[in-house]
Amino acid sequence: MPKVSITWRVLVPRLIRGIVALLATLCTLSTVAVAQEDPGSRPLDLGIIVMPTLEGAKEIVKELNDGKDFSVLAKEKSIDATSTDGGYLGKIDPAQLRIELRDAIRGHRAGELTDIVHLPSGFAVLKVFPASPATSDLNPKRISSLAETGAIRIGPLVSGVTEANLAFQAYAQRNGWDPHDLHRTCEIRTSSLADAKASVRNTLAHIGENGTQVSVQDQIAGHSALAQLYGYSGEMKESIAEWKIAYELAKKGDPASLPNLEESIGTAYLHLSEMDNNVYRGSTDLDIFPPLHPHTSFQKQDASKGAIGYFQEYLENRPNDLEVRWLLNLAYMTLGQYPAGVPPAYLIPEKGFQSKEDIGRFTDVASNAGLNAVRGAGGIIVDDFDDDGLLDVVASSMDVCDPLHFFHNNGDGTFTDRTKEAGLQDQLGGLNIAEGDYNNDGCMDFVILRGGWEFAQRKSLMRNNCNGTFTDVSDQSGLGAVVTSTQAAAWADLDNDGCLDLFVANENAPAQLFHNKGDGTFEEIGAAAGIDQTAFSKGVAAADYDGDGFMDFYVTNQNGSNFLYHNNGNKTFAEVGRQAGVQAPTYAFATWFFDYDNDGWPDLFVASYLISVEESIKTYVGGSQNAETLKLYRNRHDGTFEDVTQKVGLDKVFMVMGANFGDIDNDGYLDFYLGAGQPSYTSVLPHVLFRNKEGKTFVDVTESAGTGELHKGHGIAFADLSRRGSEDIVSGNGGAVPGDKHTLRVFENPGNSNNWLNVRLLGVKTNREAVGAQIHLTVQNGDSGPRSIYRTVGQTSSFGGNPAEQLIGLAQNAHSVTLDIWWPTSKTTQHFANVEPNQYIEIKEFAPSYTPLKRHPFRLGTRNSPRPVSASHESK
């Protein structure tokens, strides 16, 4: 088709307006205190009322002095997001507030009002509360308000994702676009990006000609936009050149822009340094944090030195800024000069990142195993897709021009990319994927989810043909009729008819519930089922949380309360999040149900997600955190949950994206791994591995395990890839833009002496995959008494897919193992006694005995001749 350029008249003004608005927002959000913290500063319970006019604020002060209640006036008149909470901001360290707010409350005691403060959003008066006022319900707007007042530091977005999407939408509108056409979507992305760069570049080159007048601010915005577009595609030298032009302009005519530009240039240099040293495409330890070899350094160091110069320039006036201090420390690490070379005032000590326990070192074997594909942000699913007893890997990428990748497990420590042979080379893009045998033929299918964070795109349902190939059946199945922006879905049998249904949580569009008709097609019943609420949803998980025999759904949302949909048993649902106590956090992402304490009831994990590097670093260095922590809710067995986050040591902030759980040490308790980040190149944070200590507490073992990958964490799966009876970790690490793609990581489990049992269930009346089937295992360890371990098939993260088979750790000296399997559709239970540990078994619904499976162990990344695993006996 003919190429149609986007002219400067159409595109560049739009980009400049967009970048000006973005910079203005970021300047508001990222304002931090310049002065040193006041001696004796401590967190205060603060309230705020914001009025649109000075006259209105004066009237509020008069009413307050006349005895009117602060919270009542806030609810009635304040234009701030905290109005629904009576103006309550929360308990805040004054040092974290905007400088004008901090100055206003200085010296004020409990019960006192401040003078009127002029903010970008209006005119404010604050009050110091004597104690935290009670609130009636979760207020989803409170965290937004904290960000708006500067209590939460949100740094500049350096990646070009906003600018590239503006260009895409402008081009698509002018040239036509069918969101069902994946190849056309790729064409538009490629053409719009090239034309946007050319148009902005051409226009900037002709500023001043023919008497045109362009303000310094608009010139800065134009060069910043071009820098972002270059950065989007990873052209960092070109990006840095444009950032520097904007920087020189700002020094002469707009000094308020300098802090943002200093951090942006430093970040671009640091990213260039990593690219120059093959960090993103090479599977090396150079981006595993914390550094285990202090003398390891990048070979090419010029770009890192450039980054240090701009970061230090920024910190000269803002020495307490944790985000830039963190980036500066990372830059010194690339030179091999951490910690000694870091200026003491800016040093972030390594001790906060050190593990208190050593579980053995996980080694990245992706390159040698043939799994080091370079991917953008995407999903990971692991299962036996060709029914040969070996676990294969499927990886997606949100880049609309990237095909899906299907890696076949060869059984000798290596994988082969069979994307083309499997018929998947035309499946482009996809921020997430979720596996499920929807047609009960015993061959694992999956759905590809697209458009998350960007624009509506089609979903693809890939039917497994049971011969190593897949067919896109989206349209004939009924899943392809409506395009949405989504990355969140979960398979579950909502009505126990033996067929898997699909819940899809969308962004700013009603959620969808696809009921499986049993003939290969689905009926969308979201509205009739009562689950079609509209929110910016990011995760969904399924479990029978109240033990009534029906699967329920939990949905996480960005900037809003999360939903818990209770299954009424008649294909309708009731939203009970508030009653159950699981509405928080209000900025949420990945989630899952799992029985972390082995009491037989599904508990709930919810990852918080507010994009603040500073709040994440406070987890390691201390300081008052204003962002929400992640949440762990313990099931009370009565339909409600207890927030045990602090009790188990998880009251931490990590900016979690990809996440999943598994048993890394085969002790029978489920551990988890968190990937961190956001689209900006400023977001360089270590992934975190937590070990579950007997269901009582969790401990960070990242440093000892060697799993602290620094780059964007997306799809994560735990799986016994090498058939050695221990779970390895497959991790996707690419970012949201092409310039931030990264190789997959495969962290091979070092193994241990604990026993284990691998159980594969096959449904007959229940769905073939056995989703929802419950396993109750009892075991004795040495001379100790029996203990219980529980697993439920199909429970996995909303961002990453573990295999349907269940690898269950038994700890050391395991004996007297019994298994009870409860099947949700037939509502029958099977009992097997005296099961030998350290074997793979298959259990079919209604069968009187289990079947031992022959599996051949091998080491990942090393071609080797497999040796057989000894098979055990059938049970009674």
Side-chain angles (χ1 to χ4, degrees):
M1 62 177 297
K3 179 179 178 181
V4 180
S5 297
I6 305 175
T7 65
W8 156 247
R9 285 187 304 172
V10 174
L11 176 63
V12 176
R14 186 176 303 174
L15 284 173
I16 286 183
R17 288 196 299 271
I19 197 68
V20 168
L22 180 64
L23 289 173
T25 301
L26 290 172
C27 286
T28 299
L29 296 182
S30 63
T31 300
V32 294
V34 174
Q36 297 289 334
E37 181 178 350
D38 289 343
S41 175
R42 67 186 190 282
L44 300 173
D45 287 294
L46 296 176
I48 189 169
I49 297 176
V50 181
M51 300 298 291
T53 65
L54 177 60
E55 291 72 20
K58 290 178 178 178
E59 181 61 28
I60 286 292
V61 172
K62 181 178 184 301
E63 292 185 68
L64 290 170
N65 288 331
D66 288 342
K68 290 286 185 69
D69 184 84
F70 188 96
S71 63
V72 171
L73 286 176
K75 289 179 180 179
E76 291 178 349
K77 299 183 178 182
S78 178
I79 62 172
D80 191 72
T82 58
S83 61
T84 56
D85 246 1
Y88 182 54
L89 271 173
K91 186 178 287 294
I92 296 175
D93 185 339
Q96 302 302 313
L97 290 172
R98 292 176 59 90
I99 188 169
E100 56 264 57
L101 295 180
R102 190 183 68 241
D103 290 344
I105 64 171
R106 182 178 288 115
H108 284 73
R109 293 175 294 182
E112 294 182 343
L113 298 174
T114 68
D115 293 334
I116 295 172
V117 183
H118 188 192
L119 298 174
S121 57
F123 296 84
V125 59
L126 293 91
K127 180 177 181 178
V128 181
F129 290 118
S132 304
T135 57
S136 59
D137 196 4
L138 177 71
N139 180 2
K141 296 182 179 179
R142 179 184 292 139
I143 300 301
S144 296
S145 181
L146 290 174
E148 290 165 5
T149 57
I152 295 175
R153 161 48 154 124
I154 299 176
L157 179 60
V158 184
S159 69
V161 64
T162 301
E163 293 74 17
N165 284 340
L166 281 171
F168 179 97
Q169 291 160 5
Y171 193 103
Q173 184 177 8
R174 289 171 58 87
N175 296 281
W177 172 50
D178 178 1
H180 290 88
D181 187 338
L182 300 179
H183 285 275
R184 177 62 180 144
T185 302
C186 172
E187 291 173 4
I188 292 175
R189 172 64 84 193
T190 303
S191 298
S192 64
L193 186 61
D195 282 6
K197 291 176 186 174
S199 295
V200 178
R201 189 168 53 238
N202 180 64
T203 300
L204 291 173
H206 293 87
I207 285 178
E209 294 183 0
N210 301 320
T212 57
Q213 297 294 320
V214 181
S215 70
V216 171
Q217 288 78 12
D218 281 354
Q219 291 182 57
I220 292 171
H223 286 286
S224 297
L226 187 53
Q228 295 277 24
L229 290 168
Y230 281 129
Y232 177 86
S233 51
E235 300 170 274
M236 302 314 298
K237 291 181 180 179
E238 293 82 357
S239 178
I240 290 168
E242 295 300 325
W243 282 123
K244 284 186 173 180
I245 294 173
Y247 178 73
E248 293 301 322
L249 287 167
K251 285 200 297 186
K252 298 175 181 178
D254 188 16
S257 298
L258 287 174
N260 185 288
L261 291 168
E262 288 163 354
E263 182 175 357
S264 297
I265 300 172
T267 299
Y269 264 123
L270 183 58
H271 194 76
L272 173 62
S273 182
E274 293 178 309
M275 294 178 72
D276 284 346
N277 289 276
N278 200 34
V279 166
Y280 291 92
R281 294 183 175 271
S283 191
T284 71
D285 286 340
L286 289 176
D287 53 344
I288 296 293
F289 185 88
L292 299 181
H293 307 288
H295 301 295
T296 300
S297 62
F298 286 2
Q299 290 185 349
K300 301 177 181 179
Q301 299 187 349
D302 288 347
S304 289
K305 293 175 181 177
I308 287 171
Y310 282 95
F311 290 148
Q312 288 186 330
E313 190 170 340
Y314 178 101
L315 289 169
E316 285 178 5
N317 295 316
R318 299 155 193 86
N320 296 322
D321 189 305
L322 265 180
E323 176 169 301
V324 178
R325 283 178 59 194
W326 167 247
L327 293 171
L328 177 71
N329 278 253
L330 290 179
Y332 272 106
M333 287 179 199
T334 68
L335 301 180
Q337 297 178 14
Y338 173 89
V342 183
Y346 308 143
L347 178 65
I348 294 179
E350 186 182 345
K351 65 180 180 179
F353 299 87
Q354 293 172 341
S355 299
K356 296 180 180 179
E357 295 184 0
D358 187 353
I359 61 165
R361 185 161 180 87
F362 286 63
T363 304
D364 176 23
V365 296
S367 181
N368 291 337
L371 282 169
N372 61 327
V374 179
R375 306 268 74 195
I380 297 286
I381 53 175
V382 178
D383 219 299
D384 183 2
F385 290 100
D386 48 13
D387 200 28
D388 62 357
L390 297 167
L391 297 177
D392 311 301
V393 177
V394 180
S396 69
S397 171
M398 72 179 291
D399 186 329
V400 296
C401 295
D402 276 354
L404 204 72
H405 273 285
F406 174 70
F407 296 99
H408 167 75
N409 191 330
N410 300 320
D412 63 355
T414 67
F415 290 74
T416 299
D417 189 338
R418 291 189 179 173
T419 303
K420 184 176 181 180
E421 293 85 344
L424 296 170
Q425 71 274 16
D426 291 325
Q427 293 299 325
L428 307 179
L431 186 52
N432 202 6
I433 35 183
E435 74 265 44
D437 183 5
Y438 78 94
N439 57 359
N440 285 329
D441 62 357
C443 303
M444 189 66 75
D445 317 296
F446 59 88
V447 62
I448 306 171
L449 307 166
R450 299 184 175 92
W453 300 110
E454 292 191 317
F455 38 79
Q457 298 178 56
R458 65 168 296 175
K459 295 178 279 289
S460 292
L461 178 60
M462 305 308 301
R463 185 188 66 207
N464 191 329
N465 299 320
C466 300
N467 61 1
T469 69
F470 296 82
T471 299
D472 188 337
V473 295
S474 309
D475 293 335
Q476 52 264 52
S477 69
L479 261 62
V482 178
V483 296
T484 58
S485 297
T486 185
Q487 62 183 49
W491 294 96
D493 185 356
L494 68 91
D495 55 355
N496 289 329
D497 64 353
C499 297
L500 289 180
D501 311 296
L502 182 66
F503 187 113
V504 179
N506 294 308
E507 296 177 359
N508 294 331
Q512 298 166 296
L513 184 57
F514 294 95
H515 179 250
N516 194 329
K517 294 180 177 180
D519 60 359
T521 67
F522 295 82
E523 176 189 10
E524 206 287 293
I525 62 169
I531 60 87
D532 61 333
Q533 294 196 59
T534 296
F536 197 82
S537 300
K538 300 307 299 178
V540 58
D544 178 12
Y545 77 91
D546 57 352
D548 65 356
F550 291 95
M551 296 290 279
D552 313 294
F553 295 103
Y554 183 75
V555 180
T556 61
N557 300 309
Q558 285 278 293
N559 197 20
S561 301
N562 302 318
F563 306 142
L564 178 61
Y565 289 111
H566 174 260
N567 192 328
N568 298 323
N570 59 0
K571 292 196 287 190
T572 69
F573 293 79
E575 202 288 296
V576 296
R578 178 182 178 186
Q579 298 92 308
V582 293
Q583 289 184 309
T586 57
Y587 277 82
F589 203 158
T591 185
W592 63 70
F593 286 99
F594 72 152
D595 186 359
Y596 84 92
D597 55 358
N598 276 326
D599 68 351
W601 292 80
D603 310 300
L604 180 61
F605 175 92
V606 193
S608 58
Y609 188 71
L610 197 146
I611 54 174
S612 171
V613 171
E614 180 167 275
E615 292 292 312
S616 296
I617 297 302
K618 287 179 184 177
T619 291
Y620 300 101
V621 303
S624 175
Q625 288 181 305
N626 296 312
E628 298 167 294
T629 69
L630 53 82
K631 290 292 184 182
L632 181 62
Y633 294 108
R634 182 180 179 274
N635 197 319
R636 287 193 177 111
H637 315 167
D638 62 358
T640 68
F641 292 79
E642 174 193 6
D643 184 348
V644 296
T645 309
Q646 186 173 16
K647 184 186 298 185
V648 301
L650 291 177
D651 49 338
K652 303 174 187 299
V653 177
F654 290 113
M655 207 192 307
V656 179
M657 295 189 301
N660 217 326
F661 62 90
D663 186 355
I664 56 174
D665 53 0
N666 283 345
D667 66 352
Y669 290 94
L670 292 168
D671 317 295
F672 60 85
Y673 186 52
L674 307 177
Q678 52 108 346
S680 179
Y681 291 144
T682 61
S683 175
V684 189
L685 295 165
H687 299 192
V688 189
L689 182 62
F690 275 98
R691 178 176 179 253
N692 184 340
K693 299 188 68 173
E694 298 183 342
K696 299 175 182 176
T697 187
F698 288 82
V699 60
D700 183 344
V701 293
T702 308
E703 180 261 339
S704 65
T707 55
E709 164 64 52
L710 276 170
H711 295 101
K712 312 303 191 300
H714 284 88
I716 291 171
F718 286 72
D720 181 12
L721 292 177
S722 55
R723 291 310 190 196
R724 296 186 300 126
S726 56
E727 289 187 315
D728 311 299
I729 303 174
V730 185
S731 174
N733 311 295
V737 301
D740 207 13
K741 292 181 180 179
H742 197 288
T743 55
L744 298 181
R745 292 279 192 185
V746 180
F747 292 107
E748 185 178 40
N749 196 313
N752 52 66
S753 60
N754 286 345
N755 302 122
W756 51 272
L757 186 69
N758 191 303
V759 181
R760 178 186 178 190
L761 301 184
L762 296 179
V764 176
K765 189 174 183 180
T766 299
N767 66 88
R768 180 64 177 264
E769 188 185 335
V771 171
Q774 299 173 13
I775 301 172
H776 176 201
L777 181 151
T778 62
V779 60
Q780 289 182 246
N781 298 103
D783 297 331
S784 64
R787 67 181 178 113
S788 291
I789 301 173
Y790 296 89
R791 296 289 185 271
T792 300
V793 178
Q795 286 184 356
T796 189
S797 172
S798 64
F799 208 153
N802 296 340
E805 65 180 40
Q806 301 294 302
L807 180 63
I808 305 171
L810 306 177
Q812 290 187 345
N813 304 315
H815 62 93
S816 303
V817 178
T818 66
L819 277 177
D820 289 283
I821 314 296
W822 182 81
W823 299 88
T825 298
S826 64
K827 301 192 184 306
T828 59
T829 300
Q830 291 165 289
H831 177 75
F832 303 96
N834 300 316
V835 180
E836 290 292 327
N838 303 332
Q839 64 169 324
Y840 296 83
I841 65 175
E842 181 178 276
I843 300 175
K844 197 170 185 178
E845 190 175 11
F846 307 121
S849 60
Y850 65 78
T851 302
L853 301 172
K854 291 184 179 180
R855 297 289 185 259
H856 306 289
F858 47 85
R859 293 304 301 264
L860 291 172
T862 303
R863 287 190 181 275
N864 48 78
S865 300
R867 57 185 178 84
V869 176
S870 59
S872 187
H873 59 81
E874 290 188 352
S875 72
K876 297 179 180 178

